[in-house]
Amino acid sequence: MKEGKVPADVLSKFVYTNLGLKRSDVLVHSGIGEDCSVIEVGEYAVILSSDPITASNNLSGYLSVIISCNDIASCGAKPIGILETILLPSGSNEELLYEIMKEIDRGAKELNIEVLGGHSEVTSSVNKPIISTTAVGICEKNKFIKTGGAKLNDDVIVTKALGLEGTFIIANDYYDILKKHISLKTLDNAKSFINELSVVKDGLISAEHGVNSMHDITEGGLLGAAYEIAEASKKGIEIYNDLIPIREETKIICSFFNIDPLKLISSGSMIITSTDGSKIVNELKKHNIEATIIGKITEHGKFLIDGDKKIEILPPDSDEIYKISNYKNGL
């Protein structure tokens, strides 16, 4: 298998067939595109999600908090806490753990959540720090949103712009190399995208105004998220290429590395479906959150419409960001 997410067909064959019993108090079970499990607790639903940070070499502690809480918000729930598992390579010093925890503390304070616990160890099994976060959220049990809730003829909306996380990671981790080829202004703008990677506000605002499904856009980028939301909902989807918001910094950096921004890890942007997309867009813009209608939920088929071309959207492959390391020695 390629580096990155395990392919959907492999998950279906080997993972989703080995999940123990299905409990009646679990309202959302594991499945393609469903990043969260939902558990009924009285009048409330507890939302749980777990994610590692592997693609970034810097600021991974901060990213671990933001990315995992984005999953909680995509269910329309408010995050309340996280558990962190930190694996450090052999020979790591105390300063490294301290820096990671400072980043985690920063992210937790920004989102007004608590670090509930976790685990840390030094192990020869890893060659760089690996952080895996479990996030916990809560909402009323009749108000949570599923990835698989999209309905026929829903508008498809994205918030902010595509590729924000990937653009930040590449600009930050490869800054010294890229500054020889790309303007410092472009790179510094790209690094500032770290301030836009949370979609907690996007999710909570949207959930209050009539959405049918939400999914944060992570590995596999927009096309991966579009595939997952359609697959989970047992519907089709059409995305219109000329409507997709991509910032100039992302275009420049992706062009330099010859990678596709539509398949680039994109935390900071959420994909939403609603019967009234204009209403959602307007509500988000009232809170200074960019939002754009880029497509439609259909009966069947998953396609990117690019002018006269109708390109099938396939199951997400390895994220474009993993191609970057192949260029490092040649730059």
Side-chain angles (χ1 to χ4, degrees):
M1 292 183 287
K2 295 180 181 179
E3 191 172 7
K5 278 186 176 182
V6 174
D9 60 334
V10 178
L11 289 174
S12 297
K13 187 175 181 180
F14 296 110
V15 176
Y16 294 132
T17 54
N18 295 282
L19 296 175
L21 300 175
K22 287 193 182 297
R23 294 176 54 98
S24 60
D25 51 358
V26 177
L27 304 179
V28 177
H29 303 278
S30 296
I32 298 293
E34 295 291 357
D35 290 335
C36 297
S37 290
V38 181
I39 301 172
E40 180 181 9
V41 181
E43 297 179 1
Y44 293 93
V46 175
I47 318 296
L48 301 169
S49 180
S50 188
D51 254 325
I53 292 292
T54 56
S56 174
N57 293 323
N58 298 310
L59 295 171
S60 54
Y62 178 78
L63 291 174
S64 74
V65 179
I66 302 301
I67 300 326
S68 291
C69 288
N70 283 352
D71 283 342
I72 301 299
S74 71
C75 283
K78 184 177 181 180
I80 59 174
I82 51 172
L83 295 96
E84 296 279 7
T85 296
I86 304 171
L87 304 179
L88 302 175
S90 296
S92 296
N93 56 35
E94 295 174 2
E95 182 67 19
L96 175 59
L97 179 60
Y98 175 60
E99 289 301 321
I100 290 172
M101 286 309 304
K102 281 203 305 182
E103 294 170 14
I104 290 171
D105 179 67
R106 171 191 166 194
K109 285 176 177 174
E110 283 184 13
L111 296 178
N112 195 31
I113 63 172
E114 183 172 348
V115 180
L116 302 169
H119 175 77
S120 58
E121 69 176 72
V122 178
T123 172
S124 60
S125 297
V126 300
N127 55 25
K128 72 173 187 177
I130 299 295
I131 304 171
S132 183
T133 306
T134 297
V136 183
I138 193 168
C139 67
E140 294 178 36
K141 72 177 182 182
N142 61 342
K143 289 190 176 181
F144 68 85
I145 309 297
K146 293 173 59 177
T147 300
K151 299 184 184 304
L152 183 62
N153 296 320
D154 272 4
D155 291 317
V156 178
I157 307 152
V158 292
T159 63
K160 305 191 187 100
L162 278 302
L164 294 181
E165 182 186 7
T167 305
F168 158 73
I169 290 173
I170 296 167
N172 194 60
D173 288 358
Y174 293 90
Y175 188 85
D176 288 340
I177 293 171
L178 288 173
K179 69 182 182 182
K180 301 172 186 175
H181 307 276
I182 295 173
S183 75
L184 295 183
K185 181 179 179 181
T186 295
L187 293 176
D188 289 341
N189 286 345
K191 288 176 68 176
S192 75
F193 291 174
I194 191 173
N195 300 314
E196 301 181 72
L197 300 187
S198 173
V199 293
V200 171
K201 281 180 63 177
D202 312 32
L204 295 180
I205 291 166
S206 299
E208 289 295 319
H209 293 93
V211 301
N212 292 323
S213 65
M214 296 194 291
H215 194 37
D216 66 315
I217 306 175
T218 53
E219 281 196 42
L222 171 64
L223 297 186
Y227 178 92
E228 290 178 345
I229 212 167
E231 189 74 7
S233 302
K234 296 180 172 55
K235 292 287 185 290
I237 192 168
E238 290 187 351
I239 302 294
Y240 301 101
N241 191 54
D242 61 336
L243 300 180
I244 297 170
I246 303 175
R247 294 186 187 166
E248 194 62 26
E249 294 84 358
T250 299
K251 292 178 182 178
I252 291 170
I253 288 173
C254 286
S255 176
F256 180 79
F257 284 111
N258 193 30
I259 59 175
D260 186 349
L262 302 187
K263 298 179 181 179
L264 179 64
I265 189 168
S266 291
S267 294
S269 182
M270 180 175 280
I271 187 169
I272 301 165
T273 82
S274 172
T275 54
D276 188 350
S278 295
K279 178 182 177 182
I280 303 301
V281 167
N282 291 335
E283 290 295 337
L284 288 165
K285 287 184 175 179
K286 287 178 186 177
H287 294 82
N288 298 314
I289 299 172
E290 302 168 49
T292 310
I293 296 173
I294 63 162
K296 207 81 173 172
I297 296 296
T298 61
E299 187 66 49
H300 51 76
K302 307 173 184 73
F303 297 103
L304 174 69
I305 310 300
D306 186 9
D308 294 332
K309 294 185 291 185
K310 197 172 185 179
I311 304 163
E312 185 179 5
I313 299 173
L314 299 173
D317 201 353
S318 180
D319 194 275
E320 294 289 277
I321 200 165
Y322 294 113
K323 295 179 181 179
I324 302 297
S325 59
N326 298 331
Y327 289 83
K328 188 171 184 179
N329 295 330
L331 294 176

